[in-house]
C-alpha cells in the first residue's frame, strides 16, 4: 500500500486536521466516527481502495461545512469527542509509520 497511499497521505492529513477544528451535529459526528474507523481498519488491512473510499466519505461529511459561507453555530453543534480525537491520532500515527517504512525501504533499495 505504500506507493498507493503516498498520493492520498496529504489529503488524509488535511482532512484529519479539519476533523479537529470542526463543529458538527451529533449525527454527523457519528458518521465521521464511522468513516475514521473504516480508514483505520483499511490501514490495518493494507486496503488502499477501502482507505480511499473512507477518506472520501469523510471529506464529503466535512466539505459541506468547509464550503458553506460562515454561519452562526447553533446549540446543536459540538466539537470532536475524545473518541474522535483518539481515532484521528491513531490514523495519523499509522500514516506516519507507513511513511517511515516507505522511506526505510527506499533507503535500502538505494544501497
Amino acid at each position: 500500500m505504500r506507493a498507493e497511499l503516498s498520493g492520498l497521505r496529504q489529503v488524509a492529513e488535511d482532512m484529519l486536521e479539519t476533523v479537529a477544528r470542526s463543529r458538527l451535529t451529533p449525527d454527523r459526528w457519528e458518521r465521521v466516527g464511522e468513516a475514521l474507523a473504516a480508514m483505520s481498519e483499511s490501514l490495518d488491512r493494507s486496503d488502499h481502495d477501502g482507505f480511499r473510499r473512507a477518506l472520501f466519505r469523510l471529506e464529503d461529511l466535512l466539505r459541506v461545512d468547509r464550503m458553506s459561507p460562515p454561519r452562526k453555530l447553533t446549540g446543536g453543534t459540538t466539537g470532536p469527542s475524545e473518541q474522535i480525537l483518539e481515532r484521528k491520532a491513531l490514523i495519523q500515527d499509522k500514516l506516519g509509520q507507513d511513511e517511515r517504512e516507505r522511506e526505510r525501504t527506499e533507503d535500502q533499495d538505494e544501497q
Side-chain angles (χ1 to χ4, degrees):
M1 171 166 1
R2 290 179 204 115
E4 299 90 358
L5 185 59
S6 63
L8 294 176
R9 180 171 282 107
Q10 187 60 52
V11 174
E13 290 174 359
D14 291 346
M15 290 311 304
L16 292 169
E17 288 308 313
T18 299
V19 166
R21 295 186 312 267
S22 294
R23 294 191 56 83
L24 305 171
T25 64
D27 177 57
R28 180 87 50 99
W29 278 123
E30 183 175 332
R31 295 188 345 228
V32 165
E34 291 166 0
L36 292 174
M39 287 172 67
S40 182
E41 291 166 6
S42 295
L43 286 173
D44 289 343
R45 293 190 313 269
S46 295
D47 177 4
H48 173 251
D49 290 331
F51 181 81
R52 181 182 341 169
R53 283 190 303 272
L55 174 61
F56 292 149
R57 190 175 334 132
L58 177 64
E59 186 175 30
D60 287 344
L61 289 167
L62 299 175
R63 180 177 35 190
V64 173
D65 291 333
R66 289 191 335 224
M67 294 177 62
S68 299
R71 57 182 161 69
K72 286 193 167 187
L73 297 173
T74 64
T77 60
T78 63
S81 67
E82 270 308 305
Q83 183 180 21
I84 294 288
L85 293 175
E86 287 172 5
R87 284 184 180 162
K88 170 192 161 297
L90 178 65
I91 293 168
Q92 287 174 317
D93 187 53
K94 289 178 183 182
L95 287 170
Q97 287 174 351
D98 185 72
E99 178 68 12
R100 289 186 296 276
E101 186 177 314
R102 183 179 66 79
E103 289 172 356
R104 232 185 346 262
T105 301
E106 287 174 356
D107 289 344
Q108 290 173 353
D109 290 346
E110 290 175 0
Q111 295 176 356

